[in-house]
């Protein structure tokens, strides 16, 4: 194999030299919050294309965001229905809702997510995150316990 050329690196160098609109990795913030030591070692140019195009609505951590209603197993295996995310407020989730990144569960089965949590999921999806373990990874609908 000929390693005398690096076309991917050449393309990245050209990309930065032309100051093109950067690729947007989901959830990235153009280096805000990056360890200053990493900035020194890697340089600012590495972070230049790390741009976020949308703002995710993060719930206030001081507010209770979830209410445990039933055991996760009972919710997961119980009767369920898909409802639009806006109508899931006040309902009990029957699926794990984990936005990626960061990969931290926002609403486990058996808990009643507050409206702030559901808005966070939707705004995250609009910013490029995914909810891979949900029945609807784009969070347009949420699987909740069926109403009797």
């Amino acid at each position: 194999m000929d390693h005398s050329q690096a076309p991917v690196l050449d393309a990245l160098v050209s990309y930065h030299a032309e100051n093109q609109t950067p690729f947007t990795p989901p959830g990235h913030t153009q280096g805000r919050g990056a360890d200053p030591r990493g900035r020194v070692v890697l340089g600012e140019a590495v972070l230049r294309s790390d741009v976020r195009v949308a703002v995710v609505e993060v719930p206030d951590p001081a507010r209770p965001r979830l209410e445990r209603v039933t055991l996760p197993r009972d919710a997961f295996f119980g009767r369920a229905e898909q409802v639009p995310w806006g109508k899931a407020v006040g309902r009990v989730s029957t699926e794990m809702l984990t936005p990626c990144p960061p990969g931290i569960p926002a609403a486990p089965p058996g808990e009643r997510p507050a409206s702030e949590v559901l808005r966070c999921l939707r705004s995250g999806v609009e910013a490029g995150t995914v909810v891979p373990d949900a029945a609807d990874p784009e969070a347009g609908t949420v699987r909740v316990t069926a109403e009797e």
Side-chain angles (χ1 to χ4, degrees), residues 17 49 80 122 148:
S49 65
R122 281 299 309 148
E148 310 236 349

Side-chain angles (χ1 to χ4, degrees), residues 16-109:
H16 279 286
E18 295 171 13
N19 204 20
Q20 295 186 27
T21 303
F23 167 73
T24 308
H28 288 237
T29 59
Q30 201 168 4
R32 286 189 295 280
D35 188 318
R37 296 170 300 168
R39 290 176 175 278
V40 170
V41 172
L42 299 172
E44 293 297 321
V46 170
L47 302 172
R48 189 171 69 198
S49 65
D50 186 14
V51 177
R52 186 175 173 187
V53 288
V55 175
V56 176
E57 294 181 37
V58 179
D60 178 359
R63 291 197 57 201
R65 298 176 303 204
L66 298 170
E67 173 192 352
R68 177 81 172 266
V69 177
T70 187
L71 293 173
R73 182 186 190 288
D74 293 343
F76 186 84
F77 290 111
R79 289 186 46 235
E81 62 183 331
Q82 290 287 127
V83 298
W85 75 272
K87 295 190 185 250
V89 174
R91 305 284 298 274
V92 178
S93 174
T94 62
E95 61 186 345
M96 183 72 76
L97 300 172
T98 307
C100 293
I104 299 168

Side-chain angles (χ1 to χ4, degrees), residues 4 20 62 67 106 129 136:
S4 64
Q20 295 186 27
E67 173 192 352
T129 64
D136 178 1

